[in-house]
Amino acid sequence: AKGAGRGTYAFFSADMQTDALEKLNLKHDLALAIDNDELCLHFQPKVNIQDDTLIGAEALVRWHHPTRGELAPGNFIPLAEESGQIVMIDRWVLEAVIRQLSDWIQAGIAPLPIALNLSLPMFQRPQFVDEVIYLLERYQVPAELLELEVTERVAMGDLDYTVSTLRALKQVGVSISIDDFGTGYSSLAYLYDFPIDTLKIDKAFVSDIPHNRKKQGIVSAIVSLSITMGLKTVAEGIETVDEKAYLRNLHCDFYQGYLFSRPVAADIFCTRYLKPSQS
Ligand code: C2E
Ligand code: CA
Ligand code: CA
Ligand code: CA
């Protein structure tokens, strides 16, 4: 038994070493990813839960690694958060989204609002609001087409800073969603002070909701809270017709999920869901 134990230990330690090495390699590769043009955006439609009309999309980053193929954010965002490289990624995403909107407008396509995800260090950059304003100006994109998703964890950092930053963004015309709502700090009081537009209900509460009383209770509480506060709700990760029907009955406004569409590349999103602009 002792031998087996030692064997197990050796196995784990070798494994952990490979892990650490692999992380180091990925971090090194990530530093080159932007210069080598390896990041790209996929777009997941956000739709009205009543009639499936498109209201916008969420931009989600992907990494075309030279040897590992396409990596989802789960494979590199946590690493990038650890190393600080997340700011570089989020800045790339911010500009890429605004550039994409501008390209659509130039091509005579009527764009829809696009949302992007903000990490804590990105949101905390003192230059953040100025960067947003500068890029919108530079690419001649109306601020109304840009939406920012911040998690409760990001928003709950320094409350005064959050309120003034969100107000500044709101004043420019950018809209704000609280992402993964219900999974983080649950102080509801801040909702009074934050100038936000939307609560995104986390997939954890959506999955299997037709058969789970507790999730039903939580989601119906979130929706009535939103109605009282004048906020819209987006349910994320809807995969089945039953989940959708249940959330529609709870008066959720919008949804995203594999049931309607997975995140897709920009050209596919454009041909499938966008229309020529009038005139
Ligand atoms: P998130 O912001 O909660 O994004 C939703 C995630 O759920 C996306 O995963 C999306 O593909 C996935 N999803 C949507 N509908 C369904 C569904 O019906 N079923 C299932 N199983 N999944 C669904 P993705 O693209 O892998 O992104 C994961 C997370 O990585 C995001 O979670 C977000 O927190 C982070 N992320 C993605 N892009 C960025 C970025 O540009 N910057 C930062 N800071 N974080 C990002
Ligand atoms: Ca999000
Ligand atoms: Ca989310
Ligand atoms: Ca989520």
Side-chain angles (χ1 to χ4, degrees), residues 133-193:
I133 295 171
Y134 169 79
L135 288 170
L136 289 170
E137 184 82 4
R138 179 171 151 209
Y139 288 95
Q140 291 291 295
V141 167
E144 289 66 29
L145 291 175
L146 187 67
E147 211 177 295
L148 302 174
E149 299 191 359
V150 296
T151 60
E152 292 170 271
R153 189 172 69 90
V154 169
M156 295 298 289
D158 171 343
L159 291 184
D160 290 339
Y161 174 80
T162 298
V163 170
S164 66
T165 304
L166 295 185
R167 284 205 181 130
L169 291 164
K170 182 94 182 177
Q171 202 160 27
V172 179
V174 172
S175 48
I176 317 280
S177 303
I178 300 291
D179 203 359
D180 301 342
F181 187 74
T183 63
Y185 298 81
S186 290
S187 157
L188 298 176
Y190 69 80
L191 290 179
Y192 283 107
D193 296 323

Short mmCIF file of all heavy atoms in Angstrom, two decimals, residues 133-193:
data_model
loop_
_atom_site.label_atom_id
_atom_site.label_comp_id
_atom_site.label_asym_id
_atom_site.label_seq_id
_atom_site.Cartn_x
_atom_site.Cartn_y
_atom_site.Cartn_z
N ILE A 133 -14.36 56.04 -25.22
CA ILE A 133 -14.80 57.23 -25.95
C ILE A 133 -13.90 57.46 -27.17
O ILE A 133 -14.38 57.72 -28.27
CB ILE A 133 -14.79 58.47 -25.02
CG1 ILE A 133 -15.84 58.29 -23.92
CG2 ILE A 133 -15.03 59.75 -25.81
CD1 ILE A 133 -15.77 59.34 -22.82
N TYR A 134 -12.59 57.32 -26.95
CA TYR A 134 -11.64 57.54 -28.05
C TYR A 134 -11.90 56.58 -29.22
O TYR A 134 -11.94 56.98 -30.38
CB TYR A 134 -10.20 57.37 -27.52
CG TYR A 134 -9.18 57.30 -28.61
CD1 TYR A 134 -8.72 58.47 -29.24
CD2 TYR A 134 -8.67 56.08 -29.06
CE1 TYR A 134 -7.79 58.41 -30.27
CE2 TYR A 134 -7.74 56.01 -30.09
CZ TYR A 134 -7.31 57.17 -30.69
OH TYR A 134 -6.40 57.10 -31.70
N LEU A 135 -12.10 55.30 -28.91
CA LEU A 135 -12.28 54.30 -29.97
C LEU A 135 -13.60 54.50 -30.71
O LEU A 135 -13.67 54.36 -31.93
CB LEU A 135 -12.18 52.88 -29.40
CG LEU A 135 -10.77 52.45 -28.97
CD1 LEU A 135 -10.81 51.14 -28.19
CD2 LEU A 135 -9.85 52.30 -30.21
N LEU A 136 -14.66 54.84 -29.97
CA LEU A 136 -15.96 55.08 -30.62
C LEU A 136 -15.84 56.25 -31.60
O LEU A 136 -16.34 56.22 -32.72
CB LEU A 136 -17.04 55.37 -29.57
CG LEU A 136 -17.48 54.18 -28.71
CD1 LEU A 136 -18.35 54.66 -27.55
CD2 LEU A 136 -18.22 53.14 -29.54
N GLU A 137 -15.13 57.27 -31.15
CA GLU A 137 -14.91 58.46 -31.95
C GLU A 137 -14.07 58.12 -33.19
O GLU A 137 -14.42 58.47 -34.31
CB GLU A 137 -14.18 59.48 -31.06
CG GLU A 137 -13.94 60.82 -31.65
CD GLU A 137 -15.18 61.71 -31.54
OE1 GLU A 137 -16.18 61.30 -30.92
OE2 GLU A 137 -15.11 62.80 -32.10
N ARG A 138 -12.97 57.43 -32.94
CA ARG A 138 -12.04 57.13 -34.02
C ARG A 138 -12.68 56.28 -35.11
O ARG A 138 -12.43 56.48 -36.29
CB ARG A 138 -10.84 56.40 -33.42
CG ARG A 138 -9.82 56.01 -34.45
CD ARG A 138 -8.53 55.50 -33.84
NE ARG A 138 -7.92 54.54 -34.76
CZ ARG A 138 -7.17 53.54 -34.36
NH1 ARG A 138 -6.94 53.34 -33.08
NH2 ARG A 138 -6.65 52.73 -35.26
N TYR A 139 -13.52 55.32 -34.73
CA TYR A 139 -14.17 54.45 -35.72
C TYR A 139 -15.56 54.95 -36.11
O TYR A 139 -16.26 54.29 -36.86
CB TYR A 139 -14.24 53.01 -35.21
CG TYR A 139 -12.90 52.31 -35.20
CD1 TYR A 139 -12.12 52.27 -34.04
CD2 TYR A 139 -12.42 51.68 -36.35
CE1 TYR A 139 -10.89 51.62 -34.03
CE2 TYR A 139 -11.19 51.02 -36.35
CZ TYR A 139 -10.44 51.00 -35.19
OH TYR A 139 -9.22 50.35 -35.18
N GLN A 140 -15.95 56.11 -35.56
CA GLN A 140 -17.25 56.70 -35.90
C GLN A 140 -18.41 55.73 -35.67
O GLN A 140 -19.26 55.52 -36.52
CB GLN A 140 -17.23 57.15 -37.38
CG GLN A 140 -16.31 58.34 -37.61
CD GLN A 140 -16.85 59.60 -36.95
OE1 GLN A 140 -17.90 60.10 -37.33
NE2 GLN A 140 -16.18 60.07 -35.90
N VAL A 141 -18.39 55.11 -34.48
CA VAL A 141 -19.44 54.15 -34.13
C VAL A 141 -20.32 54.76 -33.03
O VAL A 141 -19.80 55.25 -32.02
CB VAL A 141 -18.82 52.82 -33.64
CG1 VAL A 141 -19.85 51.93 -32.98
CG2 VAL A 141 -18.15 52.10 -34.81
N PRO A 142 -21.66 54.78 -33.21
CA PRO A 142 -22.53 55.31 -32.17
C PRO A 142 -22.40 54.50 -30.87
O PRO A 142 -22.40 53.26 -30.91
CB PRO A 142 -23.94 55.14 -32.75
CG PRO A 142 -23.76 54.90 -34.20
CD PRO A 142 -22.40 54.32 -34.39
N ALA A 143 -22.29 55.18 -29.75
CA ALA A 143 -22.11 54.52 -28.45
C ALA A 143 -23.25 53.56 -28.12
O ALA A 143 -23.06 52.57 -27.41
CB ALA A 143 -21.98 55.57 -27.35
N GLU A 144 -24.43 53.83 -28.69
CA GLU A 144 -25.61 53.00 -28.43
C GLU A 144 -25.40 51.57 -28.94
O GLU A 144 -26.15 50.67 -28.56
CB GLU A 144 -26.84 53.60 -29.10
CG GLU A 144 -27.36 54.88 -28.46
CD GLU A 144 -26.41 56.07 -28.57
OE1 GLU A 144 -25.62 56.12 -29.55
OE2 GLU A 144 -26.42 56.92 -27.66
N LEU A 145 -24.41 51.37 -29.82
CA LEU A 145 -24.16 50.02 -30.35
C LEU A 145 -23.23 49.21 -29.46
O LEU A 145 -22.96 48.05 -29.74
CB LEU A 145 -23.59 50.11 -31.77
CG LEU A 145 -24.55 50.62 -32.84
CD1 LEU A 145 -23.83 50.79 -34.18
CD2 LEU A 145 -25.74 49.67 -32.98
N LEU A 146 -22.73 49.84 -28.40
CA LEU A 146 -21.79 49.14 -27.53
C LEU A 146 -22.42 48.86 -26.17
O LEU A 146 -23.05 49.73 -25.57
CB LEU A 146 -20.51 49.97 -27.34
CG LEU A 146 -19.37 49.28 -26.59
CD1 LEU A 146 -18.82 48.11 -27.41
CD2 LEU A 146 -18.25 50.27 -26.28
N GLU A 147 -22.25 47.61 -25.74
CA GLU A 147 -22.79 47.20 -24.45
C GLU A 147 -21.65 46.55 -23.69
O GLU A 147 -20.85 45.82 -24.26
CB GLU A 147 -23.86 46.15 -24.75
CG GLU A 147 -25.00 46.10 -23.78
CD GLU A 147 -26.02 45.07 -24.25
OE1 GLU A 147 -26.62 45.27 -25.32
OE2 GLU A 147 -26.18 44.06 -23.55
N LEU A 148 -21.57 46.81 -22.38
CA LEU A 148 -20.51 46.22 -21.58
C LEU A 148 -21.13 45.28 -20.54
O LEU A 148 -22.12 45.62 -19.90
CB LEU A 148 -19.71 47.33 -20.88
CG LEU A 148 -19.07 48.35 -21.84
CD1 LEU A 148 -18.42 49.48 -21.05
CD2 LEU A 148 -18.05 47.68 -22.75
N GLU A 149 -20.54 44.10 -20.41
CA GLU A 149 -21.00 43.14 -19.41
C GLU A 149 -19.98 43.08 -18.28
O GLU A 149 -18.82 42.77 -18.51
CB GLU A 149 -21.18 41.75 -20.04
CG GLU A 149 -22.21 41.74 -21.16
CD GLU A 149 -22.61 40.33 -21.60
OE1 GLU A 149 -22.07 39.34 -21.07
OE2 GLU A 149 -23.48 40.24 -22.49
N VAL A 150 -20.43 43.41 -17.08
CA VAL A 150 -19.55 43.31 -15.92
C VAL A 150 -20.17 42.34 -14.92
O VAL A 150 -21.37 42.35 -14.69
CB VAL A 150 -19.28 44.66 -15.23
CG1 VAL A 150 -18.55 45.61 -16.15
CG2 VAL A 150 -20.56 45.30 -14.74
N THR A 151 -19.35 41.48 -14.36
CA THR A 151 -19.87 40.56 -13.35
C THR A 151 -20.02 41.30 -12.02
O THR A 151 -19.47 42.39 -11.84
CB THR A 151 -18.91 39.37 -13.13
OG1 THR A 151 -17.66 39.89 -12.69
CG2 THR A 151 -18.73 38.57 -14.40
N GLU A 152 -20.76 40.70 -11.11
CA GLU A 152 -20.92 41.31 -9.79
C GLU A 152 -19.56 41.49 -9.12
O GLU A 152 -19.31 42.50 -8.47
CB GLU A 152 -21.79 40.42 -8.90
CG GLU A 152 -23.24 40.36 -9.36
CD GLU A 152 -23.98 39.28 -8.60
OE1 GLU A 152 -23.98 38.13 -9.07
OE2 GLU A 152 -24.54 39.59 -7.55
N ARG A 153 -18.68 40.53 -9.33
CA ARG A 153 -17.35 40.60 -8.71
C ARG A 153 -16.61 41.84 -9.19
O ARG A 153 -15.98 42.56 -8.41
CB ARG A 153 -16.55 39.33 -9.08
CG ARG A 153 -15.24 39.18 -8.33
CD ARG A 153 -14.64 37.81 -8.64
NE ARG A 153 -14.19 37.72 -10.02
CZ ARG A 153 -12.96 38.04 -10.41
NH1 ARG A 153 -12.07 38.47 -9.54
NH2 ARG A 153 -12.60 37.93 -11.68
N VAL A 154 -16.70 42.12 -10.49
CA VAL A 154 -16.04 43.29 -11.05
C VAL A 154 -16.69 44.58 -10.53
O VAL A 154 -16.02 45.50 -10.09
CB VAL A 154 -16.08 43.25 -12.60
CG1 VAL A 154 -15.65 44.58 -13.21
CG2 VAL A 154 -15.21 42.11 -13.12
N ALA A 155 -18.02 44.59 -10.51
CA ALA A 155 -18.74 45.80 -10.12
C ALA A 155 -18.60 46.11 -8.63
O ALA A 155 -18.62 47.26 -8.22
CB ALA A 155 -20.22 45.66 -10.49
N MET A 156 -18.46 45.06 -7.81
CA MET A 156 -18.45 45.25 -6.36
C MET A 156 -17.07 45.63 -5.82
O MET A 156 -16.91 45.74 -4.61
CB MET A 156 -18.93 43.99 -5.64
CG MET A 156 -20.36 43.62 -5.91
SD MET A 156 -21.53 44.86 -5.38
CE MET A 156 -21.39 44.66 -3.60
N GLY A 157 -16.09 45.83 -6.70
CA GLY A 157 -14.75 46.18 -6.23
C GLY A 157 -14.75 47.43 -5.36
O GLY A 157 -14.89 47.35 -4.13
N ASP A 158 -14.61 48.56 -5.97
CA ASP A 158 -14.64 49.84 -5.26
C ASP A 158 -15.93 50.53 -5.70
O ASP A 158 -16.06 50.98 -6.83
CB ASP A 158 -13.39 50.64 -5.67
CG ASP A 158 -13.41 52.08 -5.15
OD1 ASP A 158 -14.49 52.57 -4.76
OD2 ASP A 158 -12.34 52.70 -5.15
N LEU A 159 -16.90 50.60 -4.79
CA LEU A 159 -18.25 51.02 -5.17
C LEU A 159 -18.31 52.44 -5.73
O LEU A 159 -19.00 52.68 -6.72
CB LEU A 159 -19.20 50.87 -3.98
CG LEU A 159 -19.49 49.42 -3.58
CD1 LEU A 159 -20.53 49.37 -2.46
CD2 LEU A 159 -19.97 48.59 -4.77
N ASP A 160 -17.58 53.37 -5.12
CA ASP A 160 -17.60 54.74 -5.63
C ASP A 160 -17.03 54.81 -7.05
O ASP A 160 -17.58 55.48 -7.92
CB ASP A 160 -16.78 55.68 -4.71
CG ASP A 160 -17.48 55.89 -3.38
OD1 ASP A 160 -18.71 55.67 -3.33
OD2 ASP A 160 -16.79 56.27 -2.41
N TYR A 161 -15.94 54.07 -7.25
CA TYR A 161 -15.32 54.04 -8.57
C TYR A 161 -16.30 53.43 -9.58
O TYR A 161 -16.47 53.95 -10.69
CB TYR A 161 -14.02 53.24 -8.55
CG TYR A 161 -13.42 53.05 -9.92
CD1 TYR A 161 -12.69 54.06 -10.53
CD2 TYR A 161 -13.64 51.86 -10.62
CE1 TYR A 161 -12.17 53.90 -11.80
CE2 TYR A 161 -13.13 51.69 -11.90
CZ TYR A 161 -12.40 52.71 -12.49
OH TYR A 161 -11.91 52.54 -13.75
N THR A 162 -16.95 52.32 -9.18
CA THR A 162 -17.89 51.66 -10.08
C THR A 162 -19.02 52.60 -10.47
O THR A 162 -19.34 52.75 -11.65
CB THR A 162 -18.48 50.39 -9.42
OG1 THR A 162 -17.42 49.49 -9.15
CG2 THR A 162 -19.49 49.71 -10.33
N VAL A 163 -19.61 53.27 -9.49
CA VAL A 163 -20.74 54.15 -9.77
C VAL A 163 -20.31 55.28 -10.71
O VAL A 163 -20.99 55.55 -11.70
CB VAL A 163 -21.35 54.71 -8.46
CG1 VAL A 163 -22.36 55.81 -8.77
CG2 VAL A 163 -22.01 53.59 -7.67
N SER A 164 -19.17 55.90 -10.43
CA SER A 164 -18.79 57.03 -11.28
C SER A 164 -18.40 56.56 -12.68
O SER A 164 -18.71 57.22 -13.67
CB SER A 164 -17.68 57.88 -10.64
OG SER A 164 -16.50 57.14 -10.54
N THR A 165 -17.75 55.40 -12.77
CA THR A 165 -17.38 54.87 -14.09
C THR A 165 -18.61 54.50 -14.90
O THR A 165 -18.73 54.86 -16.07
CB THR A 165 -16.47 53.63 -13.93
OG1 THR A 165 -15.34 53.99 -13.14
CG2 THR A 165 -16.00 53.11 -15.27
N LEU A 166 -19.56 53.79 -14.26
CA LEU A 166 -20.77 53.39 -14.98
C LEU A 166 -21.58 54.62 -15.40
O LEU A 166 -22.14 54.66 -16.49
CB LEU A 166 -21.62 52.43 -14.14
CG LEU A 166 -20.99 51.07 -13.82
CD1 LEU A 166 -21.99 50.17 -13.09
CD2 LEU A 166 -20.48 50.37 -15.08
N ARG A 167 -21.62 55.63 -14.53
CA ARG A 167 -22.35 56.86 -14.89
C ARG A 167 -21.72 57.54 -16.10
O ARG A 167 -22.42 58.00 -17.00
CB ARG A 167 -22.38 57.84 -13.72
CG ARG A 167 -23.36 57.40 -12.68
CD ARG A 167 -23.89 58.55 -11.83
NE ARG A 167 -24.81 57.98 -10.85
CZ ARG A 167 -24.78 58.22 -9.54
NH1 ARG A 167 -23.89 59.08 -9.06
NH2 ARG A 167 -25.63 57.64 -8.74
N ALA A 168 -20.38 57.58 -16.11
CA ALA A 168 -19.68 58.21 -17.24
C ALA A 168 -19.98 57.47 -18.55
O ALA A 168 -20.22 58.08 -19.58
CB ALA A 168 -18.18 58.25 -16.97
N LEU A 169 -19.99 56.14 -18.48
CA LEU A 169 -20.27 55.34 -19.67
C LEU A 169 -21.70 55.54 -20.14
O LEU A 169 -21.99 55.70 -21.33
CB LEU A 169 -20.01 53.86 -19.39
CG LEU A 169 -18.54 53.47 -19.20
CD1 LEU A 169 -18.41 52.10 -18.55
CD2 LEU A 169 -17.80 53.51 -20.54
N LYS A 170 -22.60 55.54 -19.17
CA LYS A 170 -24.02 55.73 -19.45
C LYS A 170 -24.25 57.07 -20.14
O LYS A 170 -25.04 57.19 -21.08
CB LYS A 170 -24.77 55.69 -18.12
CG LYS A 170 -26.26 55.80 -18.24
CD LYS A 170 -26.85 54.44 -18.27
CE LYS A 170 -28.36 54.51 -18.45
NZ LYS A 170 -28.91 53.18 -18.54
N GLN A 171 -23.55 58.09 -19.66
CA GLN A 171 -23.71 59.44 -20.20
C GLN A 171 -23.29 59.51 -21.67
O GLN A 171 -23.89 60.22 -22.46
CB GLN A 171 -22.86 60.41 -19.38
CG GLN A 171 -23.33 61.83 -19.50
CD GLN A 171 -22.82 62.66 -18.34
OE1 GLN A 171 -21.76 62.35 -17.75
NE2 GLN A 171 -23.53 63.72 -18.00
N VAL A 172 -22.28 58.71 -22.01
CA VAL A 172 -21.83 58.64 -23.39
C VAL A 172 -22.86 57.90 -24.25
O VAL A 172 -22.95 58.11 -25.45
CB VAL A 172 -20.47 57.89 -23.46
CG1 VAL A 172 -19.99 57.76 -24.89
CG2 VAL A 172 -19.43 58.58 -22.62
N GLY A 173 -23.63 56.99 -23.64
CA GLY A 173 -24.63 56.24 -24.39
C GLY A 173 -24.38 54.74 -24.44
O GLY A 173 -25.12 53.99 -25.05
N VAL A 174 -23.31 54.30 -23.76
CA VAL A 174 -22.98 52.88 -23.70
C VAL A 174 -23.91 52.20 -22.69
O VAL A 174 -24.17 52.78 -21.63
CB VAL A 174 -21.50 52.70 -23.27
CG1 VAL A 174 -21.16 51.25 -23.01
CG2 VAL A 174 -20.56 53.31 -24.30
N SER A 175 -24.41 51.01 -22.98
CA SER A 175 -25.26 50.35 -21.98
C SER A 175 -24.50 49.28 -21.21
O SER A 175 -23.46 48.77 -21.65
CB SER A 175 -26.53 49.81 -22.60
OG SER A 175 -26.26 49.10 -23.76
N ILE A 176 -25.02 48.97 -20.04
CA ILE A 176 -24.31 48.11 -19.09
C ILE A 176 -25.19 46.95 -18.63
O ILE A 176 -26.36 47.16 -18.26
CB ILE A 176 -23.93 48.90 -17.80
CG1 ILE A 176 -23.39 50.29 -18.11
CG2 ILE A 176 -23.01 48.07 -16.92
CD1 ILE A 176 -21.96 50.36 -18.53
N SER A 177 -24.63 45.75 -18.64
CA SER A 177 -25.32 44.59 -18.08
C SER A 177 -24.53 44.05 -16.90
O SER A 177 -23.30 44.07 -16.92
CB SER A 177 -25.40 43.45 -19.10
OG SER A 177 -26.05 43.85 -20.25
N ILE A 178 -25.24 43.55 -15.90
CA ILE A 178 -24.58 42.78 -14.86
C ILE A 178 -24.63 41.32 -15.30
O ILE A 178 -25.70 40.75 -15.51
CB ILE A 178 -25.26 42.95 -13.48
CG1 ILE A 178 -25.25 44.42 -13.04
CG2 ILE A 178 -24.58 42.06 -12.45
CD1 ILE A 178 -23.89 44.99 -12.68
N ASP A 179 -23.43 40.73 -15.47
CA ASP A 179 -23.28 39.39 -16.02
C ASP A 179 -23.33 38.34 -14.91
O ASP A 179 -22.97 38.62 -13.77
CB ASP A 179 -21.92 39.32 -16.73
CG ASP A 179 -21.85 38.23 -17.78
OD1 ASP A 179 -22.85 37.51 -17.96
OD2 ASP A 179 -20.81 38.12 -18.42
N ASP A 180 -23.76 37.15 -15.26
CA ASP A 180 -23.79 36.02 -14.31
C ASP A 180 -24.51 36.41 -13.03
O ASP A 180 -24.09 36.03 -11.93
CB ASP A 180 -22.37 35.55 -13.97
CG ASP A 180 -21.61 35.10 -15.21
OD1 ASP A 180 -22.25 34.82 -16.23
OD2 ASP A 180 -20.37 35.02 -15.14
N PHE A 181 -25.60 37.17 -13.16
CA PHE A 181 -26.26 37.69 -11.97
C PHE A 181 -26.75 36.56 -11.05
O PHE A 181 -27.29 35.57 -11.51
CB PHE A 181 -27.46 38.58 -12.35
CG PHE A 181 -28.06 39.28 -11.16
CD1 PHE A 181 -27.40 40.35 -10.57
CD2 PHE A 181 -29.24 38.83 -10.58
CE1 PHE A 181 -27.91 40.98 -9.45
CE2 PHE A 181 -29.76 39.44 -9.46
CZ PHE A 181 -29.10 40.52 -8.89
N GLY A 182 -26.52 36.76 -9.78
CA GLY A 182 -26.95 35.78 -8.79
C GLY A 182 -25.85 34.84 -8.34
O GLY A 182 -26.00 34.14 -7.35
N THR A 183 -24.72 34.84 -9.05
CA THR A 183 -23.65 33.91 -8.67
C THR A 183 -22.58 34.56 -7.81
O THR A 183 -21.74 33.89 -7.25
CB THR A 183 -22.95 33.31 -9.91
OG1 THR A 183 -22.33 34.38 -10.64
CG2 THR A 183 -23.93 32.59 -10.81
N GLY A 184 -22.59 35.90 -7.73
CA GLY A 184 -21.53 36.58 -7.00
C GLY A 184 -22.01 37.12 -5.67
O GLY A 184 -22.84 36.52 -5.02
N TYR A 185 -21.48 38.25 -5.29
CA TYR A 185 -21.93 38.93 -4.08
C TYR A 185 -23.39 39.31 -4.28
O TYR A 185 -23.73 39.90 -5.28
CB TYR A 185 -21.14 40.21 -3.85
CG TYR A 185 -19.68 39.99 -3.64
CD1 TYR A 185 -18.84 39.78 -4.72
CD2 TYR A 185 -19.15 39.97 -2.36
CE1 TYR A 185 -17.48 39.57 -4.54
CE2 TYR A 185 -17.81 39.78 -2.17
CZ TYR A 185 -16.97 39.57 -3.26
OH TYR A 185 -15.64 39.38 -3.07
N SER A 186 -24.23 39.00 -3.32
CA SER A 186 -25.64 39.26 -3.56
C SER A 186 -26.19 40.43 -2.76
O SER A 186 -27.28 40.37 -2.25
CB SER A 186 -26.47 38.00 -3.33
OG SER A 186 -26.17 37.09 -4.36
N SER A 187 -25.41 41.51 -2.67
CA SER A 187 -25.95 42.70 -2.06
C SER A 187 -26.81 43.42 -3.09
O SER A 187 -26.33 43.92 -4.10
CB SER A 187 -24.82 43.63 -1.61
OG SER A 187 -25.32 44.94 -1.52
N LEU A 188 -28.12 43.41 -2.86
CA LEU A 188 -29.03 43.98 -3.84
C LEU A 188 -29.05 45.49 -3.77
O LEU A 188 -29.48 46.16 -4.69
CB LEU A 188 -30.44 43.42 -3.63
CG LEU A 188 -30.54 41.90 -3.80
CD1 LEU A 188 -31.94 41.43 -3.48
CD2 LEU A 188 -30.16 41.49 -5.21
N ALA A 189 -28.58 46.03 -2.65
CA ALA A 189 -28.65 47.48 -2.43
C ALA A 189 -27.96 48.26 -3.54
O ALA A 189 -28.41 49.33 -3.93
CB ALA A 189 -28.04 47.83 -1.08
N TYR A 190 -26.86 47.69 -4.08
CA TYR A 190 -26.10 48.45 -5.07
C TYR A 190 -26.89 48.68 -6.36
O TYR A 190 -26.59 49.57 -7.12
CB TYR A 190 -24.76 47.80 -5.35
CG TYR A 190 -24.82 46.48 -6.08
CD1 TYR A 190 -24.99 46.47 -7.46
CD2 TYR A 190 -24.67 45.28 -5.41
CE1 TYR A 190 -25.05 45.26 -8.14
CE2 TYR A 190 -24.73 44.08 -6.08
CZ TYR A 190 -24.93 44.07 -7.46
OH TYR A 190 -24.98 42.89 -8.13
N LEU A 191 -27.89 47.85 -6.58
CA LEU A 191 -28.68 48.03 -7.81
C LEU A 191 -29.32 49.41 -7.87
O LEU A 191 -29.59 49.94 -8.93
CB LEU A 191 -29.76 46.95 -7.91
CG LEU A 191 -29.27 45.54 -8.19
CD1 LEU A 191 -30.44 44.58 -8.23
CD2 LEU A 191 -28.48 45.48 -9.49
N TYR A 192 -29.56 50.00 -6.69
CA TYR A 192 -30.12 51.36 -6.66
C TYR A 192 -29.15 52.37 -7.22
O TYR A 192 -29.54 53.34 -7.85
CB TYR A 192 -30.46 51.77 -5.22
CG TYR A 192 -31.71 51.15 -4.70
CD1 TYR A 192 -31.64 50.13 -3.75
CD2 TYR A 192 -32.96 51.58 -5.13
CE1 TYR A 192 -32.80 49.55 -3.27
CE2 TYR A 192 -34.12 51.01 -4.66
CZ TYR A 192 -34.03 50.00 -3.73
OH TYR A 192 -35.16 49.42 -3.25
N ASP A 193 -27.87 52.17 -6.94
CA ASP A 193 -26.87 53.17 -7.30
C ASP A 193 -26.25 52.96 -8.68
O ASP A 193 -25.74 53.89 -9.28
CB ASP A 193 -25.73 53.17 -6.27
CG ASP A 193 -26.25 53.60 -4.91
OD1 ASP A 193 -27.12 54.49 -4.88
OD2 ASP A 193 -25.79 53.03 -3.90
#
